[in-house]
Amino acid sequence: ALFGAGIWPFAISIIVFSLVIDRVGYKFAMFFSFGCYAVFGAMAMMAYSTINGEVSDLAAAQAKAYTLLYWGSVILGLGNGTVEAFINPVVATLFKDEKSKWLNILHAGWPGGLVLGGVLTIMLSGAVGTDWRIFIGLIFLPAFVYVIMLTKAQFPVNERVAAGTSYREMLAEFGAIGALIAFALIFVQLGQVFAWPAALTWGLTAITVAAYGFYCRSIGNILLIVMVIIMMPLATTEIGTDGWISGLMEKPMHEAGYNAAWVLVYTSAIMMVLRFFAGPGIAFIIPLG
């Protein structure tokens, strides 16, 4: 449940921030995401203190700690999605002549982080008495590095703005069909979390999609809609597998005398290498291929 709480906000913040990123600016998005990491860290430490302090009612303390970790995970997911929303257009703008190559290199950071984080976790797991707060603390090392690196950076003007393409034209590419897919999923998920009636879910979806379609006056670019549909099982397969592979392989790996996290490190390393060296392949088969 806690793992899931860190995933659905990720998708929502990517969509929502992508709609407003040109208005609020890349730097605002960067600081917002860093703030999410800081809040998550604080809530995780509060959860730890709730359980490990003087506890008179253990069940109540556990419930409070779980609540802190749940909403902390939601906030962490929002921060992760915000990074996606601003770093993709920045890289696409910086390397406009080799977008596919450099976006692949950028996204090698996802499996690269899993490799590095997995190895560190395995090493620390072997240390007797390792406090789990150290694992939480690992998150802040790259977060502090990136906020220091980017604080003084001058971000380029978004390609859409530079090209003179209007905001409405951009939204028209996604269109009413894209809005229906995205916002229906968002409201269904929020309805599950907050336990509101199905009528409210579909009412909010209808109002949002109607407003979106009326504003952009387009059903959407059909090729883009096809890619949106393809993206759903793709993302589910990637993120779901990353989240569950260690648990699925735990028994056979332990029987073989290894930490199950090595499977995640191994598969992520393959993905990292393929993405880092995707450039020549893309040049050969073209990006659409």
Side-chain angles (χ1 to χ4, degrees):
L2 292 175
F3 178 75
I7 294 297
W8 60 262
F10 174 85
I12 291 176
S13 60
I14 289 177
I15 294 172
V16 173
F17 256 97
S18 294
L19 291 172
V20 300
I21 194 78
D22 299 346
R23 308 294 172 90
V24 302
Y26 296 132
K27 192 157 285 191
F28 174 84
M30 178 195 74
F31 284 120
F32 176 84
S33 63
F34 181 78
C36 289
Y37 296 136
V39 171
F40 166 73
M43 294 179 78
M45 299 309 162
M46 289 168 63
Y48 181 91
S49 301
T50 299
I51 294 295
N52 290 278
E54 292 185 11
V55 180
S56 56
D57 186 341
L58 181 58
Q62 288 174 330
K64 181 180 178 181
Y66 177 83
T67 300
L68 286 166
L69 287 175
Y70 183 88
W71 291 109
S73 298
V74 169
I75 292 168
L76 178 67
L78 290 172
N80 286 334
T82 305
V83 171
E84 287 277 339
F86 87 81
I87 200 62
N88 283 298
V90 166
V91 170
T93 301
L94 286 172
F95 303 100
K96 57 186 178 183
D97 295 326
E98 293 183 298
K99 289 181 187 178
S100 296
K101 171 185 173 181
W102 285 99
L103 284 169
N104 267 287
I105 290 173
L106 166 69
H107 284 274
W110 171 276
L114 291 173
V115 170
L116 181 59
V119 171
L120 288 172
T121 299
I122 291 167
M123 291 171 59
L124 290 170
S125 296
V128 178
T130 301
D131 194 316
W132 68 263
R133 286 175 292 183
I134 294 174
F135 295 97
I136 300 295
L138 291 176
I139 294 172
F140 293 100
L141 296 177
F144 276 117
V145 169
Y146 101 76
V147 81
I148 291 169
M149 287 174 60
L150 298 179
T151 295
K152 294 184 178 181
Q154 296 298 315
F155 291 101
V157 175
N158 183 278
E159 277 189 292
R160 176 192 69 78
V161 177
T165 303
S166 71
Y167 185 69
R168 178 177 288 176
E169 287 176 297
M170 179 187 73
L171 295 187
E173 290 291 298
F174 201 52
I177 296 177
L180 173 63
I181 295 170
F183 287 103
L185 289 170
I186 287 174
F187 289 128
V188 165
Q189 178 62 57
L190 292 177
Q192 290 177 354
V193 172
F194 295 106
W196 67 43
L200 179 58
T201 294
W202 298 113
L204 289 170
T205 301
I207 292 169
T208 304
V209 173
Y212 191 105
F214 179 78
Y215 177 74
C216 71
R217 294 179 172 83
S218 168
I219 63 169
N221 183 313
I222 298 303
L223 178 59
L224 183 59
I225 300 305
V226 170
M227 296 187 74
V228 167
I229 294 170
I230 291 171
M231 187 65 199
M232 289 191 285
L234 171 66
T236 303
T237 303
E238 178 185 355
I239 297 174
T241 304
D242 287 344
W244 285 99
I245 192 67
S246 295
L248 291 171
M249 295 300 295
E250 188 168 8
K251 186 175 179 180
M253 287 294 284
H254 282 176
E255 288 176 354
Y258 297 103
N259 190 308
W262 281 118
V263 179
L264 179 62
V265 171
Y266 166 67
T267 54
S268 299
I270 295 172
M271 191 194 308
M272 179 181 69
V273 171
L274 289 174
R275 286 182 176 179
F276 262 119
F277 297 102
I282 290 170
F284 180 72
I285 64 172
I286 74 168
L288 186 58

